[in-house]
Structure formats: C-alpha cells, structure tokens
Amino acid sequence: MSGVDVRGLPEDEQAIVEAVATWVDREVRPRAGDLERAQEYPHALIDQMKEMGVFGLAVPGRWSESAVSTRCFALVTEQLARGWMSLAGAIGGHSVVALMLARYGTPEQQERWLPRMATGEVRAAMALTEPSGGSDLQDIRTRAVRDGSGSDAEYVVDGSKTWITNARHAGLIATLVKTDPQASPRHSGISILLVEPGQVEVSRDLPKLGYRGVESCELSFAGSRVPAGNLLGGEEGQGFAHFMSGLELGRVQVAARAVGVGQAALDDALAYAQQRETFGKPIWEHQSVGNLLADMATKVHASRLLVLDAAAGIDAGRRSDLEAGMAKLFASEACMQVALDAMRIHGAAGYSAELDIERYFRDAPLMIVGEGTNEIQRNVIVRRLVERDRES
Ligand SMILES: Cc1cc2nc3c(=O)[nH]c(=O)nc-3n(C[C@H](O)[C@H](O)[C@H](O)COP(=O)(O)OP(=O)(O)OC[C@H]3O[C@@H](n4cnc5c(N)ncnc54)[C@H](O)[C@@H]3O)c2cc1C
C-alpha cells in the first residue's frame, strides 16, 4: 500500500481512507487488468463499494451514514483510481448529482432519492454533453416543454446527449435541458431534469480508448415524458448555476482520479527501476532515469496538495472554482506526463498489454478532457483571477 497521505483528517476519516486503500490492494489491483480487458461492468466490485459506504461519502450526513469531508472523499477517490480509474468514475457524476440534490432539491426530491443514493442502491449519472458540443453548455439543444398543470404536469423532452458515463446502470440521470430557448442571458433558460430509467432511451455504448468497464453512452429523447416534479428545485432557469456549483466537486474528483493514476504509475516505475539492471546496475542509478522518477514523484505530490487545498475550500464553504480548476488542470496534465514517463522507464515492457502501465497511459487523457477540458479550466482560472484582482 502506498501513496496514502491522511495527515490532517480526523481519525475516523483516516480509517476510511486506509480501509479503501487496503481493499484496493487486495481486491482491485490484482484483477483490474483482466476486468478491463473483458470490458464488462464490474458488478462485484461495485457491490463491495456499496457495502463500504463509498456511494454515500459525498451525500450529506442527514441522508448518509457514511458522509465524510470533501478532503476524505478526494483521498478515497485517489485510492480507487490507484487501483482502477473506472471505479473512481463510478462515484464521480453520482456524487455531483447528490450534492446538487442536497443543495437545491425540493424536500420531496431529497427524501425520494438521497437515502438510496447514499447506499448506492440508486446510482446517478449527469448528462450535459451533446453531439454539437460539451464546452459551450449554454448552447445545448435538448428541449423540454411543459405540458399540463398541477400534479399531472410533465415535460416533453426532445434531443440527444452523448458520452454520458454510467448511463446504463444509473437509476437517475441529471439532465441539462433548455426550458426557454429564447432566454437572455442564455443560461437563464436552462434547467435540470432528474430523468429515471424508462424516460430516456440509452441508445449506444461508445467504444473508447480507456476508462473501460463503466459505460459512456448516447442518450436519445424523442417526445420523452418526464414528470414536472422531477425538475430539480421545482423552478425553471436555475440548472446552469446548479451544475456549475456542483462541478467544483466534480473537478476535485477528476483531479483526485489523476493523482491516483499518477501514483500507481509512479509506484510501478519505482519498483521496476530497482529490479531492472542495465550496464551492471539498477536503472534508477542512471541519472536520466533517476531524474524522471524524482520529477514524477514531485508532480504527484504537488497534484495531491492542490486537490486537498481545493477540497478544504469546499469543506470551509468557500467558492472554490479557481482552486478546483487549478487542481484539475495541473493534476491531469501531470498524470499524463507521469504515465508516459512510467512507460519510458519500463522500456518495451511498458508497451505490453499484460502490464498495468499501458492502462494508466490510456486512462490518463480522460482527466484532461472530462469535467470541462483543460482549455476551459484555463478560461475559468483566468476569469476568476481577474475578478479577484478587481475585488481587491
Ligand atoms: C470518456 C468520457 C466520459 C465522459 N463522461 C461524460 C458524462 O458523464 N457526462 C457528460 O455530460 N459529459 C461527459 N463527457 C464529455 C466531456 O465532458 C466533453 O467531451 C468535454 O466537455 C468537451 O466537450 P466536446 O468533446 O464536445 O469538445 P468541444 O466542446 O467540441 O471542444 C473541442 C476542442 O475545442 C476546445 N475549446 C472549445 N471551446 C473553447 C474555448 N472557449 N476556449 C478554448 N478552447 C476551447 C476544447 O478544449 C477542445 O479541445 C465525457 C467524455 C469522455 C471522453
């Protein structure tokens, strides 16, 4: 077990991170390669995650017996990703949706879904991206038109979403829709519908480079009917702001995944560099390889500190889009570089599909693209820097 840094957490949260780390070493790392090659949903591991309370970590204590701080949630995410990034992905969108429900849901919506989300009985996905684009979310085309009034009112939904992770196994899909396409500013015409199985067609699983085992799907709405009671918060026009506030946690979660994959790549490279000998000595003693390892360890450590800093901001109730954006940007780029350098250190063995190294290399780019690309993170960071500068 390595890479577990629980300093600063209360004892009970330390125990949770350590228990997950031990489980990852015992149950996940030995079989992640086979599971991902099979490209099947990891039902058994997901069931064990449910038993450990992992799906309830980011659900507030009012509804969850396993609620923890965001710092603890990030460290658990890191441990899951150290074993297999796809497992950390299974709690990513789920946790963002739980947070949005806890912050903005009506009391009825909260009681209906949050207790079952805390146990993992209901797992949630979030559907923002559309075939026409994922960066400019105010330009979404999926349309929801209210039909009827009172308790029988429904939304009639038309449009499509793409790259929606966990969609096939989700009991709830928080879906970004346009309720008023003419609204100005554009974001004031956007709402979130809490879509349940049977209300949308999950039309296709997309083939992908990495992040296998959990599915990323196309969704098709064709006159689909969703009860008006499933409008998050019960008020139209709030969806964009709600998602943006939830994405702070999402970006910390994606950054924590990058730390986990980076740590796994570093661990494997460090072990290999001590076993493999060339020119009569272990390869870490060649300065070029030693320098790579030193830089890799520094990048992973710096990434973890940025993640914990952003998580601490969320725990303190501070607006943390700047810190979350920085953590996501830095940790994902560092992870990609560390995964490549781990492959370099392994020579041909790093290219073998029989070792985990090539999986880290295939999983790393998701963290650069997902939860807002790194180009979008830079836009968020600089906008916030200027705002803060003007405020001071
Ligand atoms: C494996 C995987 C899983 C995913 N899971 C989900 C999910 O569960 N739910 C979900 O909603 N989405 C999901 N996504 C989608 C992801 O969020 C989007 O791919 C991402 O937001 C980018 O959108 P896009 O692919 O449409 O790229 P585009 O928006 O078309 O952007 C294309 C390129 O242009 C750049 N660009 C665009 N606008 C700007 C700008 N203003 N300034 C600078 N550069 C810009 C982008 O950075 C990118 O490099 C997933 C994606 C992948 C690959």
Side-chain angles (χ1 to χ4, degrees), residues 179-195:
T179 38
D180 181 1
Q182 316 309 333
S184 175
R186 289 184 300 165
H187 64 76
S188 64
I190 291 178
S191 306
I192 296 174
L193 283 181
L194 301 163
V195 174

Side-chain angles (χ1 to χ4, degrees), residues 89 131 206:
L206 296 160

Side-chain angles (χ1 to χ4, degrees), residues 93 125-137 161-166 208 210-211 216 366 369-376 379:
M126 52 182 206
L128 298 89
T129 306
E130 300 193 350
S132 57
S135 298
D136 186 2
L137 287 175
K161 297 282 175 181
T162 191
W163 288 107
I164 309 310
T165 305
N166 300 313
K208 45 188 179 174
Y211 198 15
S216 298
L366 180 267
V369 174
E371 225 78 6
T373 65
N374 280 358
E375 291 71 40
I376 296 298
N379 294 347

Side-chain angles (χ1 to χ4, degrees), residues 127 129-131 142 159-169 173 195 197-207 215-222 224:
T129 306
E130 300 193 350
T142 299
S160 52
K161 297 282 175 181
T162 191
W163 288 107
I164 309 310
T165 305
N166 300 313
R168 211 169 273 288
H169 291 88
I173 305 179
V195 174
Q199 295 168 357
V200 60
E201 185 196 349
V202 181
S203 38
R204 191 162 79 98
D205 290 18
L206 296 160
E215 70 286 5
S216 298
C217 307
E218 287 178 355
L219 306 185
S220 170
F221 294 91
S224 314

Side-chain angles (χ1 to χ4, degrees), residues 170-382:
L172 193 63
I173 305 179
T175 306
L176 205 64
V177 295
K178 273 259 161 96
T179 38
D180 181 1
Q182 316 309 333
S184 175
R186 289 184 300 165
H187 64 76
S188 64
I190 291 178
S191 306
I192 296 174
L193 283 181
L194 301 163
V195 174
E196 297 175 272
Q199 295 168 357
V200 60
E201 185 196 349
V202 181
S203 38
R204 191 162 79 98
D205 290 18
L206 296 160
K208 45 188 179 174
L209 175 68
Y211 198 15
R212 295 184 182 158
V214 295
E215 70 286 5
S216 298
C217 307
E218 287 178 355
L219 306 185
S220 170
F221 294 91
S224 314
R225 300 187 86 84
V226 179
N230 289 26
L231 176 72
L232 180 67
E235 191 189 337
E236 290 183 4
Q238 305 298 316
F240 190 75
H242 290 169
F243 250 124
M244 288 305 120
S245 120
L247 283 183
E248 282 185 7
L249 180 71
R251 286 171 181 163
V252 167
Q253 211 266 349
V254 166
R257 289 192 225 173
V259 179
V261 173
Q263 183 68 53
L266 170 64
D267 290 345
D268 290 6
L270 194 57
Y272 189 78
Q274 293 173 76
Q275 291 154 15
R276 182 77 170 176
E277 293 191 0
T278 67
F279 300 90
K281 54 183 175 183
I283 57 171
W284 74 267
E285 290 185 22
H286 302 302
Q287 196 174 30
S288 302
V289 176
N291 283 353
L292 276 181
L293 287 164
D295 286 351
M296 289 159 73
T298 306
K299 284 176 186 140
V300 172
H301 188 56
S303 300
R304 184 178 296 114
L305 294 179
L306 279 173
V307 169
L308 289 174
D309 177 62
I314 294 176
D315 284 334
R318 285 195 297 271
R319 178 176 169 180
S320 301
D321 51 349
L322 176 66
E323 293 76 9
M326 285 177 168
K328 197 289 211 185
L329 169 63
F330 186 89
S332 59
E333 297 291 348
C335 173
M336 190 72 249
Q337 188 63 53
V338 168
L340 173 61
D341 290 343
M343 188 175 275
R344 231 187 268 273
I345 289 172
H346 278 75
Y351 207 69
S352 164
E354 288 172 348
L355 294 194
D356 292 330
I357 294 292
E358 63 90 36
R359 187 179 80 245
Y360 308 145
F361 186 73
R362 288 187 289 103
D363 279 348
L366 180 267
M367 274 74 79
I368 289 176
V369 174
E371 225 78 6
T373 65
N374 280 358
E375 291 71 40
I376 296 298
Q377 300 313 305
R378 288 187 173 94
N379 294 347
V380 170
I381 291 166
V382 72

